[in-house]
């Protein structure tokens, strides 16, 4: 704990604050995979801004581009005006991301956050199809504004809306019934049954890996079946890649492993490169039916984030080096977690893909205890899942193997201490 007086935070900041409760330190500086507090203590970061810092804190390559741009008096706030920074970003997206994957997407700048991207996606799907209903999945998380919240599963977050959240119907995510129930049997049946009471939806929105929902991983074959079901019934498929995109699972888009091409994709968090706010909604060209200004936002033209985003794409995604390294690092975590699961088979299991990995506790309270011990030992890790039963790891993709091993050692010792 810090010796300085931190009462201003508790006295003046809203009770809605969350991360600061589990990590009671005042953080001052950060570099790479490390963050330092006011007392000078260093913490290894397995949180990475909830996935907004895939390239680490203050990445020097991105920082130089940002400082050069600011020093040149480049446009900061641009709404949707044309600027060189936006042109460079669009060219980089086209060159590094879209063309290599044969994706003919238009790019919309909906605002600075992931929930802005989701709101735009939902509105567009309804406008294109003329239908209002959206299908979402159990344990999904898509954002905190009312549209995004309506397709989110967490009951506590939904309750905060204060009004009924309508026009969305949840369906079971992959393995929700532990493999007992045939995938999509219920979904396809109610879609085709005129007596089911389910209105034909405008779209289905899905995360390929549910981060906030507890690191629930959809199998590639499940995703392909979902894509086929949507295509056969003229339903748009939205993949929410806000947290799992930008290389978190290995490839740039998390859905690439399934070989599908969603109709609409949402991106945010690490798309800004440096941790600067930016979001994108990508969609097939024929879906671009917006009228000018029909969906807008004051801060959709954050040009400094365009600069760092383009630099990140050019540096890390002009080849497949990072995409190949991420699954290898993920396997390193999986191996350590599997050893813990074998040591405590009645309480611990593991799941994940790439550099999103979860250590799952049958006794939900143990996850929080492990994270508390880890913090005391100099490691930042968060919990997720409907009962906060999962220790979720989101380390920077640029983390070194030595740093990874150091953090895994802390987590292993904490787990042994809690579970023994």
């Amino acid at each position: 704990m810090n010796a300085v007086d931190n009462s201003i935070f508790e006295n003046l900041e809203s009770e809605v604050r969350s991360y600061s409760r589990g990590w009671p330190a005042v953080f001052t500086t950060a570099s790479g995979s490390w963050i330092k507090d006011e007392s000078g203590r260093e913490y290894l970061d397995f949180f990475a801004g909830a996935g907004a810092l895939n390239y680490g804190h203050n990445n020097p390559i991105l920082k130089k581009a940002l400082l050069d741009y600011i020093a040149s008096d480049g446009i900061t706030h641009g709404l949707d005006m044309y600027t060189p920074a936006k042109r460079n970003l669009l060219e980089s997206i086209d060159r590094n991301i879209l063309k290599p994957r044969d994706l003919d997407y238009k790019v919309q700048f909906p605002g600075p956050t992931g929930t802005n991207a989701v709101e735009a996606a939902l509105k567009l799907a309804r406008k294109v199809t003329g239908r209002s209903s959206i299908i979402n999945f159990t344990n999904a998380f898509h954002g905190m504004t009312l549209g995004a919240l309506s397709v989110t599963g967490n009951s506590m977050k939904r309750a905060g809306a204060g009004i009924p959240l309508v026009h969305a119907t949840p369906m079971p995510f992959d393995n929700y019934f532990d493999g007992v129930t045939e995938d999509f049997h219920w979904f396809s049946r109610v879609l085709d049954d005129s007596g089911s009471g389910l209105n034909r939806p405008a779209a289905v929105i899905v995360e390929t890996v549910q981060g906030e929902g507890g690191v629930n991983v959809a199998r590639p074959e499940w995703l392909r079946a979902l894509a086929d079901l949507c295509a056969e019934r003229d339903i748009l498929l939205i993949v929410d890649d806000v947290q799992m995109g930008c290389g978190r699972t290995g490839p740039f888009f998390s859905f690439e492993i399934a070989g599908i091409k969603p109709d609409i994709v949402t991106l945010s968090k690490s798309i800004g490169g440096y941790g600067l706010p930016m979001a994108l909604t990508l969609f097939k060209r024929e879906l671009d039916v917006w009228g000018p200004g029909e969906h807008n936002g004051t801060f959709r033209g954050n040009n400094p984030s365009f600069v760092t985003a383009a630099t990140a794409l050019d540096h890390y995604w002009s080849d497949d080096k990072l995409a190949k390294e991420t699954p290898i690092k993920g396997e390193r975590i999986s191996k350590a977690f599997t050893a813990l699961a074998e040591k405590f088979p009645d309480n611990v299991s593991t799941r994940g893909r790439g550099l999103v990995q979860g250590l799952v506790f049958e006794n939900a309270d143990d996850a929080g205890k492990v994270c508390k011990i880890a913090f005391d030992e100099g490691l930042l890790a968060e919990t997720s899942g409907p009962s906060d039963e999962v220790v979720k790891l989101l380390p920077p993709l640029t983390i070194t193997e030595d740093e990874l091993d150091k953090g895994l050692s802390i987590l292993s010792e904490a787990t042994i201490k809690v579970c023994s």
Side-chain angles (χ1 to χ4, degrees):
M1 294 287 289
N2 299 313
V4 294
D5 181 12
N6 294 328
S7 61
I8 185 65
F9 299 113
E10 294 185 6
N11 290 339
L12 201 57
E13 188 179 3
S14 168
E15 293 299 315
V16 79
R17 66 190 186 279
S18 59
Y19 294 116
S20 56
R21 296 178 187 274
W23 302 332
V26 179
F27 298 106
T28 55
T29 59
S31 179
S33 302
W34 295 88
I35 185 168
K36 186 181 292 187
D37 71 14
E38 277 186 328
S39 70
R41 187 181 187 196
E42 288 190 317
Y43 300 80
L44 187 55
D45 188 0
F46 273 21
F47 175 64
L53 295 166
N54 282 5
Y55 312 110
H57 293 271
N58 288 302
N59 183 297
I61 297 164
L62 311 185
K63 180 165 62 175
K64 183 179 187 307
L66 178 61
L67 291 175
D68 288 348
Y69 185 75
I70 293 172
S72 71
D73 288 335
I75 297 294
T76 295
H77 180 269
L79 293 164
D80 70 355
M81 296 182 291
Y82 295 159
T83 65
K86 180 190 279 191
R87 178 173 55 210
N88 291 341
L89 173 58
L90 289 170
E91 289 174 346
S92 182
I93 291 171
D94 196 39
R95 178 176 62 251
N96 295 308
I97 306 303
L98 299 183
K99 284 182 177 174
R101 292 161 181 81
D102 192 28
L103 294 171
D104 188 20
Y105 286 155
K106 295 291 287 291
V107 179
Q108 180 180 354
F109 298 87
T113 72
T115 199
N116 292 132
V118 169
E119 293 286 353
L122 298 178
K123 284 174 64 175
L124 181 62
R126 286 166 170 146
K127 180 177 174 64
V128 167
T129 64
R131 306 177 211 134
S132 59
S133 176
I134 305 291
I135 299 294
N136 60 301
F137 290 95
T138 51
N139 292 315
F141 179 81
H142 296 290
M144 299 299 282
T145 49
L146 291 180
L149 196 57
S150 73
V151 291
T152 288
N154 186 286
S155 60
M156 180 271 288
K157 291 181 171 62
R158 290 176 64 87
I163 62 171
L165 297 171
V166 297
H167 305 304
T169 303
M171 291 290 171
F173 191 72
D174 191 16
N175 206 38
Y176 185 73
F177 293 110
D178 298 321
V180 174
T181 301
E182 182 184 356
D183 289 320
F184 298 121
H185 180 73
W186 168 252
F187 190 10
S188 60
R189 176 67 182 272
V190 296
L191 280 173
D192 297 335
D193 183 357
S194 60
S196 69
L198 179 71
N199 294 326
R200 182 167 295 275
V204 171
I205 185 167
V206 67
E207 304 154 275
T208 66
V209 181
Q210 295 180 326
E212 295 299 310
V215 194
N216 304 311
V217 182
R219 293 167 297 146
E221 56 267 32
W222 187 88
L223 292 168
R224 284 192 291 271
L226 177 61
D228 289 344
L229 182 148
C230 289
E232 291 165 2
R233 291 163 175 80
D234 191 31
I235 301 168
L236 297 179
L237 176 61
I238 304 169
V239 170
D240 183 344
D241 239 2
V242 167
Q243 188 168 85
M244 297 304 153
C246 301
R248 175 53 56 183
T249 67
F252 184 83
F253 294 111
S254 69
F255 56 80
E256 291 181 54
I257 191 172
I260 63 175
K261 294 182 179 180
D263 299 293
I264 305 175
V265 181
T266 62
L267 292 171
S268 187
K269 291 192 182 285
S270 280
I271 192 63
Y274 196 71
L276 298 177
M278 185 176 78
L280 300 176
T281 305
L282 312 178
F283 40 84
K284 291 180 178 178
R285 185 170 296 271
E286 61 270 23
L287 302 180
D288 193 8
V289 298
W290 290 120
E294 190 173 4
H295 185 92
N296 57 25
T298 303
F299 291 102
R300 66 192 185 277
N302 184 2
N303 279 251
S305 67
F306 296 170
V307 171
T308 52
T311 304
L313 295 178
D314 286 341
H315 184 79
Y316 290 103
W317 295 101
S318 60
D319 58 33
D320 61 358
K321 184 173 183 289
L322 184 66
K324 288 181 175 178
E325 290 175 349
T326 296
I328 294 172
K329 292 175 182 177
E331 186 58 33
R332 208 175 186 93
I333 300 175
S334 181
K335 184 177 179 180
F337 280 5
T338 298
L340 289 171
E342 291 173 350
K343 189 176 183 68
F344 305 105
D346 295 332
N347 189 18
V348 178
S349 59
T350 182
R351 55 184 180 242
R353 176 177 290 153
L355 277 176
V356 51
Q357 296 286 334
L359 193 63
V360 188
F361 291 86
E362 188 68 24
N363 181 359
D365 291 343
D366 287 350
K369 293 175 183 176
V370 167
C371 286
K372 171 65 169 61
I373 293 172
F375 174 78
D376 292 340
E377 294 300 320
L379 178 75
L380 302 185
E382 68 167 335
T383 60
S384 71
S387 301
D388 286 323
E389 74 277 17
V390 181
V391 176
K392 181 177 75 171
L393 301 194
L394 293 169
L397 307 185
T398 52
I399 194 169
T400 67
E401 289 186 354
D402 286 345
E403 290 169 337
L404 203 53
D405 289 345
K406 180 178 177 63
L408 290 173
S409 176
I410 292 172
L411 279 174
S412 294
E413 290 175 10
T415 301
I416 291 169
K417 191 171 186 178
V418 169
C419 294
S420 295

